[in-house]
Amino acid sequence: MSQVIVNLTLPIVVAKIETVLRDPASLSQGEGRDATDLRQRLTAYVLRRLPVLYITLDQDTIRRMGTPSECYSHEQHRQIDRLIQQGLQAILHAE
């Protein structure tokens, strides 16, 4: 079977950002901003500040695999959450 390189960090960061961006209170100062642009800039902000985890898996395992959140410790999840909040503040206040 063919092996595929899988980024474990990206789906976790994206899921957490989606949760934050669904909360109207987190965007109160960023109303009128393009949501896609904000999402992309915030994702880039967080990923630049994290060690990214990669693994190789076969296609069947990838299909069965859910969100790889268990690859990170509770403290690492908290760090990602803090980076999302810091990034959101930095992006919204930069303009």
Side-chain angles (χ1 to χ4, degrees), residues 5-93:
I5 297 172
V6 178
N7 180 334
L8 297 176
T9 308
L10 182 60
I12 294 169
V13 170
V14 167
K16 286 178 173 286
I17 287 173
E18 288 300 322
T19 300
V20 168
L21 294 182
R22 271 189 247 125
D23 178 16
S26 67
L27 294 177
S28 61
Q29 298 173 1
E31 289 184 36
R33 287 193 56 95
D34 176 26
T36 302
D37 179 58
L38 177 60
R39 185 177 295 107
Q40 289 176 348
R41 291 179 64 190
L42 188 53
T43 301
Y45 179 95
V46 174
L47 290 176
R48 279 194 305 264
R49 289 159 176 81
L50 283 175
V52 179
L53 297 177
Y54 294 94
I55 60 171
T56 56
L57 298 171
D58 61 71
Q59 291 288 353
D60 291 335
T61 305
I62 291 171
R63 282 190 278 276
R64 292 189 306 260
M65 190 172 128
T67 302
S69 62
E70 63 275 355
C71 296
Y72 285 96
S73 70
H74 178 70
E75 180 55 37
Q76 288 169 318
H77 278 279
R78 287 181 41 202
Q79 178 187 14
I80 294 169
D81 293 336
R82 282 191 304 270
L83 285 171
I84 290 170
Q85 290 305 316
Q86 289 170 3
L88 193 56
Q89 293 302 313
I91 292 166
L92 293 178
H93 288 102

